[in-house]
Amino acid sequence: MAKRNKAGQGRKKPGPGLREALRIPGGERVRLSAYAADATPAGPRNKAEGLAATARMGERLAGLQERLYAASTAGDRRRILLVLQGMDTSGKGGTVKHVIGLFNPSGCRIQAFKAPTREELDHPFLWRVTKALPRPGEIGIFDRSHYEDVLIARVRELVPRSRLDRRYDQINDFERSLVDDGVSVVKVFLHISYEQQRRRLLARLDNPDKHWKFNPGDIDERGLWPAYQKAYEIALERCSTADAPWYLVPADRKWYRDWAVSTLLLEQLEALDPRYPPGDFDVEECRRRLLNDG
Amino acid sequence: MAKRNKAGQGRKKPGPGLREALRIPGGERVRLSAYAADATPAGPRNKAEGLAATARMGERLAGLQERLYAASTAGDRRRILLVLQGMDTSGKGGTVKHVIGLFNPSGCRIQAFKAPTREELDHPFLWRVTKALPRPGEIGIFDRSHYEDVLIARVRELVPRSRLDRRYDQINDFERSLVDDGVSVVKVFLHISYEQQRRRLLARLDNPDKHWKFNPGDIDERGLWPAYQKAYEIALERCSTADAPWYLVPADRKWYRDWAVSTLLLEQLEALDPRYPPGDFDVEECRRRLLNDG
């Protein structure tokens, strides 16, 4: 199963574990309504256990991250790209805060993608994401991504249908080129229910300190909920590949969401099994010089 | 004391507190040998208290950071730029891990500056730092900075002396323009002793998992210790301005270093006193629409 990338490092395909449980089978029809957004597959039994389990992962995650970064200083090109997608209020920002917050921030490259700027629109849709990719040893995080170009672009008919339809293959080709270069692409769809979105938007209205997060336009978008769910189903079906699978994380429960994304990253990092590189210098001589330099 | 910046937000000068205690008086001769690197001015009495005090600051720091970011969504241009400088092993990376790790990573923009690339050398020395500046609402962190261009550049005579001497004023002008645009510039010199550096380098040699951090060239650099100390003294003297002061943080004790940098950031954020912006929509109407949309 292990393939060699250009840098010669072993790279494993996703194995069993949570990744297997949450993975969307590629090429098969996806029906989001078949997945309960408040489910907790393979997870801790309740919130207290979930929070504790996530916190306990912190040290291992940061330790593996340090090894990944250390390996990059010796030429290992491997890195991780976490792609976060989901409807408004599904918890993309919360995931960054609570899961990515477990890592050393200096090794994380986080990019949130908003409505494209004039300059971004003047380039192919993959241009802006390409610029934000993680470097070897880093953990990249996309809060929204190139998938917006087949989601809102489809729902709002921002490009002609023929051009839109070509984008799925373009995305698959792009992601395959990333994998070839040593990037582990971990794509997570945060699945929430229509009712849960209502509760979260109402909660924002109830708290003046959250009003800055609220946009009345979000209520208009809710009117397009079925069209967005359909657009997600098509994207998940066409772009969950062997190289870069999609994972569906039930996200009505925040503690489960954080535990699941942490676990997916932990499994991925453990599969990579990065190692501290050996030094290429004479330890004894360096020690002697240090002890005798005044 | 409060001045108004272009965006019309109040901006306070550094007030009393740790900032006053650690601030380098501008324009006066600086003698680094007069500062004990293992001192703990105005700090907790021991490591256990220091670690606990730093951890306790986490929630307030993240809360103020969220307010700062929220305010930016309503046009507030204020943001923070933390500049970290210090000799090898002084703990710049550790500070990012332990102090910046207390914040929400999505609001932090971290840049480590290494030896300049060919492209960077083709531009004025402030070009690369300008590209990495934080946006409104963000906390920017420079691990090394434009000060390298008057530190290693001075010690290694990388540019003619006349050009080097002009850089101090250029830096002061640059930082003043940042402050005018709403950036709080917090410059921290992590002060360690020659002996402490020796201990830390030896510790890296003793642990094979740390060999990737070790470079025999670091021992050669130690031979230039007095020249570097002198270069720092000149930079601190000429560039600790009212707008953008330098703080000297004794850094032989890691727990004190983390407590001090956290406290400097906390004081700065509290002086900014960012507020959640009010919503500009009809809360009751939004609530009604949400409750009735199916």
Side-chain angles (χ1 to χ4, degrees):
Chain A
M1 284 284 277
K3 259 167 80 180
R4 298 257 143 202
N5 67 16
K6 285 178 187 164
Q9 266 77 34
R11 171 164 57 81
K12 295 185 191 159
K13 299 278 180 179
L18 190 66
R19 287 183 299 171
E20 212 48 56
L22 300 185
R23 182 180 184 151
I24 297 278
E28 293 174 26
R29 176 75 200 282
V30 176
R31 288 175 193 275
L32 288 179
S33 58
Y35 295 93
D38 61 353
T40 59
R45 281 169 305 179
N46 56 50
K47 181 173 175 178
E49 285 182 19
L51 293 177
T54 302
R56 272 198 308 274
M57 270 184 273
E59 204 165 324
R60 284 161 76 197
L61 288 168
L64 284 159
Q65 177 197 18
E66 181 171 283
R67 287 168 185 260
L68 188 70
Y69 182 81
S72 79
T73 66
D76 191 332
R77 293 183 64 81
R78 292 179 302 171
R79 61 265 207 206
I80 285 184
L81 174 62
L82 174 67
V83 173
L84 290 172
Q85 286 285 164
M87 302 293 288
D88 282 338
T89 76
S90 62
K92 300 179 290 295
T95 304
V96 173
K97 182 174 177 179
H98 296 291
V99 177
I100 303 307
L102 298 170
F103 290 92
N104 182 335
S106 66
C108 299
R109 188 175 294 266
I110 304 169
Q111 181 70 50
F113 294 98
K114 320 248 178 198
T117 63
R118 184 71 249 168
E119 188 186 21
E120 289 168 353
L121 288 171
D122 280 345
H123 290 87
F125 75 101
L126 294 170
W127 180 74
R128 66 175 185 163
V129 289
T130 302
K131 286 202 304 173
L133 288 170
R135 299 183 192 182
E138 291 185 338
I139 299 182
I141 300 95
F142 285 177
D143 175 348
R144 303 186 187 272
S145 67
H146 44 297
Y147 281 93
E148 292 297 323
D149 297 290
V150 292
L151 293 167
I152 189 171
R154 184 177 195 98
V155 172
R156 293 284 188 183
E157 299 183 348
L158 302 179
V159 294
R161 178 56 66 98
S162 60
R163 205 168 135 214
L164 181 85
D165 277 333
R166 285 195 296 276
R167 285 185 172 175
Y168 299 94
D169 281 344
Q170 289 165 352
I171 287 175
N172 289 339
D173 290 346
F174 168 66
E175 293 178 356
R176 192 172 306 113
S177 76
L178 299 184
V179 173
D180 277 345
D181 199 39
V183 182
S184 295
V185 183
V186 180
K187 300 183 294 192
V188 171
F189 171 60
L190 300 177
H191 179 47
I192 58 162
S193 64
Y194 190 69
E195 277 309 309
Q196 182 66 16
Q197 188 187 62
R198 186 203 314 275
R199 282 190 288 271
R200 290 185 182 175
L201 289 172
L202 285 170
R204 286 184 186 175
L205 286 178
D206 289 344
N207 182 352
D209 286 355
K210 302 282 184 194
H211 283 183
W212 66 278
K213 287 189 178 187
F214 192 91
N215 179 351
D218 297 344
I219 310 178
D220 305 325
E221 284 300 279
R222 266 171 76 73
L224 299 168
W225 183 276
Y228 272 107
Q229 297 288 294
K230 180 76 194 155
Y232 267 111
E233 288 174 343
I234 295 168
L236 297 175
E237 175 189 326
R238 297 193 189 171
C239 298
S240 192
T241 61
D243 279 328
W246 269 105
Y247 301 103
L248 184 146
V249 169
D252 272 8
R253 297 174 202 269
K254 294 176 181 176
W255 63 264
Y256 179 79
R257 172 199 77 199
D258 291 342
W259 174 84
V261 178
S262 301
T263 302
L264 289 172
L265 290 172
L266 183 61
E267 289 183 5
Q268 192 73 45
L269 281 162
E270 287 180 337
L272 294 179
D273 191 23
R275 306 292 177 97
Y276 287 113
D280 59 349
F281 50 86
D282 183 331
V283 174
E284 263 320 304
E285 192 211 335
C286 286
R287 192 176 278 127
R288 224 174 7 250
R289 286 182 62 199
L290 272 170
L291 288 169
N292 293 312
D293 71 353
Chain B
M1 284 282 276
K3 258 168 79 181
R4 299 257 144 202
N5 68 16
K6 284 179 188 162
Q9 266 77 35
R11 170 164 58 81
K12 295 185 190 157
K13 298 278 178 181
L18 191 65
R19 287 182 299 171
E20 213 48 57
L22 299 184
R23 183 180 183 148
I24 298 277
E28 293 173 27
R29 175 77 200 282
V30 176
R31 289 176 191 275
L32 287 179
S33 59
Y35 295 93
D38 62 353
T40 58
R45 280 169 305 178
N46 56 49
K47 181 173 176 177
E49 284 182 20
L51 293 178
T54 303
R56 272 198 308 274
M57 271 184 272
E59 203 165 324
R60 284 159 76 196
L61 288 169
L64 284 159
Q65 177 196 19
E66 181 171 283
R67 286 168 185 262
L68 188 71
Y69 182 80
S72 78
T73 65
D76 191 332
R77 294 184 63 81
R78 292 181 301 171
R79 61 265 206 206
I80 285 183
L81 174 63
L82 174 67
V83 173
L84 290 172
Q85 286 285 163
M87 301 294 287
D88 281 337
T89 76
S90 62
K92 299 179 291 294
T95 303
V96 173
K97 182 174 177 179
H98 296 291
V99 177
I100 303 308
L102 299 169
F103 291 91
N104 182 335
S106 65
C108 299
R109 188 175 294 267
I110 304 168
Q111 182 69 51
F113 293 98
K114 319 248 179 199
T117 64
R118 184 70 249 166
E119 188 186 21
E120 288 167 354
L121 288 170
D122 281 345
H123 289 89
F125 76 101
L126 293 169
W127 181 74
R128 66 175 185 164
V129 289
T130 303
K131 286 201 306 172
L133 288 170
R135 299 183 193 183
E138 291 185 337
I139 299 182
I141 299 96
F142 285 177
D143 175 347
R144 303 186 187 272
S145 67
H146 44 296
Y147 282 93
E148 292 297 323
D149 297 290
V150 292
L151 294 167
I152 189 170
R154 184 178 195 97
V155 172
R156 294 283 187 183
E157 299 182 348
L158 302 180
V159 294
R161 178 56 67 98
S162 60
R163 205 167 135 213
L164 181 86
D165 277 333
R166 286 195 296 276
R167 285 185 172 175
Y168 299 93
D169 282 344
Q170 288 164 353
I171 287 175
N172 288 339
D173 289 345
F174 168 67
E175 293 178 354
R176 193 172 306 113
S177 76
L178 299 184
V179 173
D180 277 344
D181 199 39
V183 182
S184 295
V185 183
V186 180
K187 301 184 293 192
V188 171
F189 171 59
L190 300 176
H191 179 47
I192 58 164
S193 65
Y194 189 69
E195 277 309 310
Q196 182 65 17
Q197 188 188 61
R198 186 203 314 274
R199 283 190 288 271
R200 291 184 182 176
L201 289 173
L202 285 170
R204 286 183 185 174
L205 286 178
D206 289 343
N207 182 352
D209 286 355
K210 303 281 184 196
H211 283 184
W212 66 278
K213 287 189 179 185
F214 191 91
N215 179 351
D218 297 344
I219 309 179
D220 305 325
E221 284 300 279
R222 265 172 76 73
L224 298 168
W225 182 277
Y228 272 106
Q229 297 289 295
K230 179 80 195 150
Y232 267 111
E233 288 173 344
I234 295 168
L236 296 175
E237 174 189 325
R238 297 194 189 169
C239 297
S240 192
T241 61
D243 278 329
W246 269 105
Y247 301 103
L248 184 145
V249 169
D252 272 8
R253 299 175 201 268
K254 294 176 181 176
W255 63 264
Y256 179 79
R257 171 199 78 199
D258 292 341
W259 174 84
V261 178
S262 301
T263 302
L264 289 172
L265 290 172
L266 183 60
E267 289 183 5
Q268 192 72 45
L269 281 162
E270 286 180 337
L272 294 179
D273 192 22
R275 306 292 177 96
Y276 288 114
D280 60 348
F281 50 86
D282 183 332
V283 174
E284 263 320 304
E285 192 212 333
C286 287
R287 192 175 279 128
R288 227 176 3 253
R289 286 181 62 199
L290 272 171
L291 289 168
N292 293 310
D293 72 351

